[in-house]
Amino acid sequence: MSDYYNAFEISPVPTPGPDAVPPEPFRGIYGMPAYVTIPTDDLAASVDFWVRGLGFFELFGIPGTLVHLRRWAFQDVLLVAAADVPARAPALGVGFACVLGQVDPLVEACRALRPGSVDGPRDTPWNTRDVEVITPENARVVFTAAKPFDPASPEARNLEAMGITPPDADRGDNGDHAR
């Protein structure tokens, strides 16, 4: 028996599908369960790329010091002014969920703003389409969109082998898990 259970109701990520609609940008203030801090030596240029290329918006800023960016709920980035940035992207990266309909426009926007910044899109064995972007600060950012679930696919078999069942299988109220 697996300890995994379906808990999609706590996530802003919509049900996967070709017509999935992303949630509206989330402008509420909350205690952030996780966020990423990225140093930049050109705050204005970084904000421009993250907003126009990656689809974030400026939640608030401290002029010349910090800009808090967000897309969906729990997708928070703090761009922080720094004297310099790494010369190349580190192996470590950060990932953000998106929907399939956002992948191609994101790729086009990033390539237009910063040629050579995009790798992908590519499909994964765990049923997503991923795009890797290297930002002006040399941050490695992956956008990942869940593909529609096909129970007969190799991806479904991969997930089942890990103990992960489709959202409709064994659906319950999560009473024992959601506390």
Side-chain angles (χ1 to χ4, degrees):
M1 173 152 186
S2 170
D3 288 338
Y4 299 115
Y5 60 95
N6 295 322
F8 283 85
E9 66 273 5
I10 68 166
S11 174
V13 180
T15 302
D19 298 327
V21 176
E24 291 294 320
F26 190 84
R27 298 181 188 280
I29 301 297
Y30 52 73
M32 295 183 298
Y35 61 92
V36 62
T37 300
I38 299 178
T40 176
D41 57 3
D42 188 338
L43 199 53
S46 292
V47 169
D48 183 62
F49 184 83
W50 282 80
V51 169
R52 292 193 313 136
L54 301 176
F56 282 75
F57 68 91
E58 185 174 335
L59 186 63
F60 68 85
I62 301 169
T65 304
L66 170 141
V67 174
H68 183 155
L69 301 172
R70 182 178 293 153
R71 285 179 75 242
W72 303 350
F74 313 121
Q75 293 186 342
D76 294 276
V77 172
L78 303 179
L79 295 175
V80 180
D84 58 3
V85 298
R88 60 185 199 136
L92 179 70
V94 61
F96 296 101
C98 65
V99 298
L100 285 172
Q102 293 179 305
V103 171
D104 290 340
L106 183 138
V107 167
E108 291 171 16
C110 289
R111 285 185 175 147
L113 290 168
R114 195 162 189 258
S117 64
V118 177
D119 181 22
R122 66 181 162 278
D123 292 340
T124 68
W126 45 90
N127 207 42
T128 65
R129 181 159 299 140
D130 291 3
V131 174
E132 182 180 277
V133 178
I134 304 301
T135 69
E137 316 78 33
N138 283 322
R140 183 178 310 278
V141 180
V142 175
F143 281 83
T144 186
K147 297 185 316 185
F149 186 77
D150 175 1
S153 70
E155 293 86 354
R157 288 190 293 281
N158 290 340
L159 292 169
E160 187 176 356
M162 291 183 276
I164 300 172
T165 57
D168 292 327
D170 303 317
R171 183 176 291 284
D173 65 2
N174 293 328
D176 291 339
H177 301 287
R179 298 189 196 276

